[in-house]
């Protein structure tokens, strides 16, 4: 009996360890910070966009309240470029049409607040409908018929088969090289690239980068979402999370580098994630171990005393947690304001 209990305990440790390790942070922070430091045009555009967003929100205070509206104000045409490595449709890096359509349907449910299990934020009184939806394109740039899924054999790209696309490393294919192989006009479509690996990891084990997207204001050659093929499935947080970035949403821990640093929060409209119904929280990254914790925190919020943690951050699609069930009204206001920017309008 003792031996059996020991075996069960060891199996529990193994599975728990795997669950803690196999978690997907995103590449937004690294790429956004890099562009802000190295590209003055991008930094200037981000600041101009932020001013426009705040003006828009100030002029539309109703955005911060639950409107009860059913449906969407905006429908964005998307094209999904499946950058496979020559495998048949249905293999790991070449997901089926049904899988991709299911992921887009899931994205729409999360943005409409209709996915089963979604919850209302602490403030606002109801589940948030972001009033933005996404539709797979029906016409190609040359006006041909399409289902919005563009399959491209990318195995000829340098280092792509072995290591996929670079985010923080340089052993794979440069991002622009991959995007230049398959891009539809960003003024007419929102481009999503499904890739085999990011920084050499495909999302099947260990800690990995699941995807990344760019704020409005990035160049047309960069704009869009890149994500792992293994994450392009209904129920996975990566696609709603990255599309949140595409609509100017930060992580709620914006301004915190690790689990020992709280972000500034003197003014919730200009500090942190610029959203007032998400309390400041630390980035749950342990710099000593290099591991992210995706636990949903409870109890006292050390970054917002004397407040406790709330579901507004811990269950947020933009957080690094496993209990994602909501967006907030403040995030909706930013997303709606983002749709008024030239690069999204």
């Amino acid at each position: 009996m003792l031996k059996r209990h020991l075996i069960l305990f060891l199996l529990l440790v193994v599975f728990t360890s795997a669950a803690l390790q196999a978690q997907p942070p995103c590449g937004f922070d690294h790429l956004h910070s890099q562009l802000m430091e190295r590209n003055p045009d991008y930094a200037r555009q981000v600041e101009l966009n932020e001013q426009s967003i705040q003006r828009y929100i100030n002029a539309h205070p109703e955005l911060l309240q639950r409107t009860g509206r059913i449906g969407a104000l905006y429908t964005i045409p998307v094209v999904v470029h499946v950058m496979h490595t020559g495998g048949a449709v249905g293999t790991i890096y070449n997901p089926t049409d049904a899988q991709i359509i299911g992921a887009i349907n899931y994205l729409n449910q999360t943005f409409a607040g209709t996915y089963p299990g979604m919850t209302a934020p602490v403030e606002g009184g109801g589940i948030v409908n972001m009033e933005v939806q996404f539709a797979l394109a029906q016409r190609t740039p040359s006006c041909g018929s399409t289902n919005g899924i563009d399959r491209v054999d990318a195995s000829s790209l340098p280092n792509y088969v072995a290591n996929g696309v670079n985010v923080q490393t340089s052993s794979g294919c440069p991002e622009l090289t991959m995007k230049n192989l398959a891009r539809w006009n960003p003024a007419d479509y929102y481009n999503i690239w499904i890739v085999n690996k990011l920084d050499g990891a495909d999302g099947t084990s260990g800690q990995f980068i699941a995807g990344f997207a760019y704020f409005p204001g990035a160049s047309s050659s960069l704009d869009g979402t890149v994500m792992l093929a293994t994450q392009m499935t209904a129920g996975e947080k990566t696609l709603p999370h990255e599309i949140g970035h595409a609509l100017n949403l930060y992580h709620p821990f914006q301004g915190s580098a690790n689990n020992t640093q709280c972000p500034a929060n003197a003014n919730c409209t200009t500090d942190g994630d610029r959203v007032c119904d998400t309390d400041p929280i630390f980035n749950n990254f342990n710099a000593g171990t290099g591991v992210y914790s995706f636990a949903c925190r409870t109890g006292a919020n050390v970054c917002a005393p004397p407040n406790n943690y709330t579901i507004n951050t811990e269950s947020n699609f933009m957080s690094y947690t496993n209990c994602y069930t909501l967006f907030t009204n403040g995030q909706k206001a930013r997303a709606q304001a983002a749709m008024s920017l030239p690069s999204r309008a």
Side-chain angles (χ1 to χ4, degrees):
M1 180 65 73
L2 181 60
K3 183 178 180 181
R4 181 186 176 193
H5 286 169
L6 179 60
I7 291 173
L8 289 173
F9 173 76
L10 290 174
L11 286 173
L12 179 62
V13 169
V14 170
F15 286 128
T16 301
S17 175
L20 289 173
Q21 292 295 320
Q23 302 298 343
C26 84
F28 167 80
D29 285 335
H30 172 76
L31 295 171
H32 174 71
S33 297
Q34 194 173 71
L35 279 176
M36 291 292 284
E37 292 172 3
R38 301 178 183 178
N39 189 323
D41 291 338
Y42 177 77
R44 182 166 50 251
Q45 191 59 58
V46 167
E47 178 56 33
L48 291 173
N49 285 352
E50 193 62 40
Q51 294 172 14
S52 295
I53 285 171
Q54 293 305 324
R55 285 196 299 269
Y56 189 94
I57 292 173
N58 291 337
H60 299 83
E62 72 278 1
L63 290 174
L64 297 172
Q65 304 297 323
R66 185 189 179 204
T67 62
R69 188 195 307 271
I70 298 174
L73 285 176
Y74 304 99
T75 299
I76 300 174
V78 300
V79 54
V80 176
H81 306 285
V82 182
M83 311 301 287
H84 62 83
T85 54
V89 174
T91 53
I92 184 170
Y93 304 138
N94 198 352
T96 65
D97 286 5
Q99 184 177 333
I100 294 168
I101 292 167
I104 297 295
N105 289 341
Y106 170 68
L107 169 67
N108 281 327
Q109 287 177 300
T110 61
F111 267 66
T114 59
Y115 189 72
M118 290 194 71
T119 54
V122 174
E123 298 89 355
I127 296 174
V128 174
N129 175 5
M130 302 286 274
E131 298 183 35
V132 180
Q133 292 283 275
F134 304 85
L136 286 164
Q138 297 180 20
R139 292 288 172 185
T140 67
S142 60
C143 224
S145 179
T146 182
N147 64 355
I149 300 171
D150 176 36
R151 297 186 185 275
V152 179
D153 187 342
S155 58
S156 64
L157 293 175
N159 304 314
Y160 181 77
V161 173
N163 293 300
V165 173
N166 296 329
V167 183
Q168 297 178 336
T169 65
S170 58
S171 58
C173 177
E175 173 192 352
L176 273 177
T177 301
M178 182 276 294
K179 289 180 174 178
N180 288 340
L181 185 61
R183 182 191 296 106
W184 291 7
N185 187 348
D188 299 323
Y189 310 89
Y190 186 76
N191 289 271
I192 300 172
W193 290 270
I194 306 302
V195 300
N196 63 335
K197 300 173 185 177
L198 291 171
D199 286 348
D202 67 3
T204 57
S205 64
Q207 189 166 273
F208 55 91
I209 295 173
F212 59 89
Y214 288 94
F215 268 179
S219 71
S220 59
S221 60
L222 286 176
D223 195 23
T225 287
V226 177
M227 58 181 288
L228 292 174
T230 56
Q231 304 302 296
M232 189 66 174
T233 184
E236 290 289 352
K237 181 173 68 173
T238 301
L239 186 55
H241 181 100
E242 300 307 337
I243 295 298
H245 287 316
L247 295 179
N248 243 107
L249 300 186
Y250 288 99
H251 298 127
F253 54 78
Q254 173 67 19
S256 168
N258 55 56
N259 60 6
T260 66
Q261 179 187 22
C262 290
N265 196 50
N267 183 335
C268 62
T269 65
T270 57
D271 290 333
D273 64 354
R274 282 78 159 169
V275 173
C276 291
D277 56 7
T278 57
D279 288 331
I281 54 173
F282 60 73
N283 180 352
N284 41 12
F285 171 70
N286 187 317
T289 64
V291 174
Y292 288 89
S293 167
F294 282 73
C296 303
R297 294 163 288 196
T298 59
N301 181 352
V302 297
C303 294
N307 298 341
N308 288 334
Y309 289 106
T310 75
I311 60 173
N312 284 20
T313 61
E314 301 312 290
S315 296
N316 200 296
F317 276 97
M318 300 309 296
S319 285
Y320 283 179
T321 60
N322 282 327
C323 51
Y324 42 93
T325 61
L326 60 83
F327 290 103
T328 70
N329 284 293
Q331 289 173 321
K332 171 186 176 174
R334 282 188 67 86
Q336 288 284 309
M339 289 303 299
S340 71
L341 300 172
S343 57
R344 291 291 175 258

